[in-house]
Amino acid sequence: MLSSLRKAVSPGRKGERATPPRGERQRKQHNLFDAAATYVAASVEDDQERMDEASGWVSPEALSFGVNELACRAVTALARESGQSPRTVARTLLGLSAD
């Protein structure tokens, strides 16, 4: 399922030009995962300029989806590494009681 989503949001999908017309400057295409990773890393590093740049690569909805997906994957990875439940890891990261 994720591979289908990646294909749908990645550059070069059916209907898009693989190369720009002659004379047009080639601009790197960013997908929502690229934007989300850059945005979150910039946020951690308190780099507002880079956050602004990344947020312009995709729609706000796509960026939100990408950040959510990154959070889910990060919590899952941390939970596996620590042997704790994803719920416990998420609550701990946010400074909440483990309840």
Side-chain angles (χ1 to χ4, degrees), residues 73-91:
R73 291 179 187 196
V75 167
T76 300
L78 289 170
R80 285 183 185 146
E81 287 178 9
S82 67
Q84 297 178 340
S85 72
R87 182 176 192 270
T88 299
V89 170
R91 293 185 62 83

Side-chain angles (χ1 to χ4, degrees), residues 24-65:
E24 276 190 31
R25 192 173 77 162
Q26 189 168 358
R27 187 176 150 206
K28 182 179 183 218
Q29 296 289 320
H30 299 278
N31 67 34
L32 65 97
F33 297 113
D34 185 19
T38 301
Y39 182 87
V40 170
S43 179
V44 169
E45 296 166 351
D46 199 27
D47 185 346
Q48 185 63 48
E49 185 176 318
R50 189 81 171 135
M51 289 171 60
D52 293 343
E53 180 183 353
S55 66
W57 294 345
V58 295
S59 72
E61 295 82 11
L63 182 60
S64 177
F65 175 82

